[in-house]
């Protein structure tokens, strides 16, 4: 509030919409300050821009960033057909491939996801990137669930998957998307 510096606020989520009571009030209050006292407001989706309109008291322009610009996602393929051709050459199995990318901790919803895969009759496999099975105290079907640990380049894993599952109880930044 007391600076001449140009402040850019990058909104990466609207957490007050997921809460109630006093915590919602506090989170909404901070969102009002962030939007109305910054010089420029950026957000990562048009749906978030819509949610922010109610706290945008000075009707500032809220700029929506292009997909992938915030986290540096490199879009390799010019068309869906080109993507499918490469993907078909790299698939190893006929089962539905689901990937989970993130830390292996309870609040990320990984336990519920593993339980769902364990109890599923669907021909599927779960590839877990970003953690080790030793970090969890849960039994799992190792013919359907594969822990591959941290990977610095996720492009081929996204390419070779049918579903990206993000079962988090709450996500603030959501870089995995």
């Amino acid at each position: 509030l007391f600076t001449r510096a140009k402040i850019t606020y990058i909104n990466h989520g609207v957490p007050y919409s997921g809460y109630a009571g006093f915590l919602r009030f506090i989170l909404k209050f901070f969102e009002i300050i962030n939007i109305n006292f910054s010089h420029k407001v950026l957000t990562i989706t048009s749906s978030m821009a819509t949610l922010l309109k109610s706290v945008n008291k000075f009707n500032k322009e809220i700029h929506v960033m292009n997909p992938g610009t915030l986290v540096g996602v490199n879009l390799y393929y010019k068309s869906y057909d080109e993507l499918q051709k490469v993907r078909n050459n790299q698939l190893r199995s006929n089962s539905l491939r689901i990937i989970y990318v993130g830390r292996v901790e309870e609040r990320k919803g990984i336990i519920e996801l593993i339980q769902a895969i364990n109890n599923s009759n669907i021909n599927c496999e779960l590839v877990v990137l970003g953690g080790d099975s030793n970090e969890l105290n849960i039994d799992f079907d190792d013919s359907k669930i594969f822990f591959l640990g941290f990977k610095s380049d996720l492009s081929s894993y996204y390419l070779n998957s049918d579903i990206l599952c993000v079962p988090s109880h709450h996500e603030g930044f959501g870089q995995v998307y």
Side-chain angles (χ1 to χ4, degrees), residues 9-29:
Y9 171 53
I10 300 176
N11 169 273
H12 54 77
V14 184
Y16 72 83
S17 65
Y19 292 93
F22 185 69
L23 187 55
R24 179 183 175 96
F25 171 79
I26 293 295
L27 292 170
K28 193 169 188 176
F29 175 73

Side-chain angles (χ1 to χ4, degrees), residues 10 18 21 39 57-58 75 85-87 107 130 136-137 151 159:
I10 300 176
H39 295 93
K57 303 303 180 193
F58 300 129
L75 303 176
K85 182 179 176 185
V86 173
R87 185 177 186 277
R107 77 174 191 84
L136 296 173
N137 187 19
K151 302 292 181 189
L159 176 67

